[in-house]
Amino acid sequence: PHSAKRVTVTGAAGQICYSLLFRLAKGDVFGPDQPVILQLLEIPQALPAVRGVVMELEDCAFPLLAGVVVTDDPAVAFRDTDAAFLIGARPRSKGMERRDLLLANAEIFKVQGQALDKAARREARVIVVGNPANTNAAILAANAPGFPTENITAMLRLDHNRALSQFAAKAGVPVGSLDRVAVWGNHSPTMFPDWRFATANGKSLPDLIGDGDWYKSKLIPTVAQRGTAVIEARGASSAASAANAAIDHMRDWFQGTNGRWVSMGVPSDGSYGIPKGLICGVPVTCTPGQYHRVTGLPIDEFARSMLDRTIGELKEELAAIAKS
Ligand code: NDP
């Protein structure tokens, strides 16, 4: 039997984790033969609620769940970890400016970066979901100088999955027939869902849909505003779909995508005019344990303007923190 993988999850009492943890324990990331030990981090006042979630995990009698640790100490949560899902973040509260939110989260991710640096296995793979996810991931990396930066990523997969689903519906094809969709940039309404290379059953998706106006005036804003639309309809933010996207991201990273493109926020290598130091959504393929940027894609004028806008936002977020 495999030895258990240690999986750190922060914000364990929150909405996203109420879906995420059960799927992790079921084997949705590492497969049906890989036991997991969950190492759950929360702020002290949320620890009683985490204990309730742990009771429910116990009541599922998951055969793969080899242990659960509950703590408010990041050093304990990150100890010897193989995979980390950083979900917890400071939500925007009334009267809070965007800058205050950035700064509050920068402090959280600084502390967690230091703990990651000290306690995690160097092979650990990290996804940041808590918003502003890309910038939080950059702060995490900056505070973990001894930890491989390429193992720190941010979640663009929900935007990617949202785009896939809209494309499939418009083209009248199954989601699984689509490939080579890319979402670039920040996990925010400025993200750029790029259909130029997309295929359905190997044929050009833009040709199949044949409606460039729909793409620019409907698809892009629909994906950008999808989170808000869910909040309006449900009265609460998207949690199950966010958890599902985090599962997809980590499963693909650990198990590979067989050549299929997915979108991940990864530390920039300077390609496509994305400055180093940013953690930016790009198209990648994965082989088990590694992501590989899709390189050499042409960037036309529209793509350049969309990319520049979302890169500009990422730069501003980091600059606002640097100035403090
Ligand atoms: P959720 O579980 O709903 O969301 C957690 C984070 O994920 C938020 O920052 C949220 O951003 C973000 N997120 C990213 N993408 C999405 C998406 N598409 N849809 C929804 N959310 C998305 O938040 P809760 O408030 O229910 O729970 C957060 C928990 O984290 C709390 O229990 C809190 O105590 C904890 N926490 C833990 C910390 C720690 O472990 N040290 C530090 C800070 C908080 P957005 O706010 O923009 O929706």
Side-chain angles (χ1 to χ4, degrees), residues 9-18 41-43 45-46 71-72 74 86-92 101 105 108-109 112 129-133 136 155 158 162 187 227 231 237-239 241-242:
V9 184
T10 75
Q15 293 307 309
I16 293 176
C17 286
Y18 194 61
L41 182 68
E42 257 297 354
I43 53 178
Q45 48 287 26
T71 182
D72 59 4
L86 306 196
I87 315 289
R90 179 72 184 272
R92 191 190 299 251
L101 187 73
N105 279 301
I108 291 170
F109 284 82
Q112 294 190 1
V129 174
N131 276 319
N136 289 342
M155 186 169 88
L158 184 55
R162 285 167 172 166
H187 170 61
I231 291 175
S237 68
S238 41
S241 54

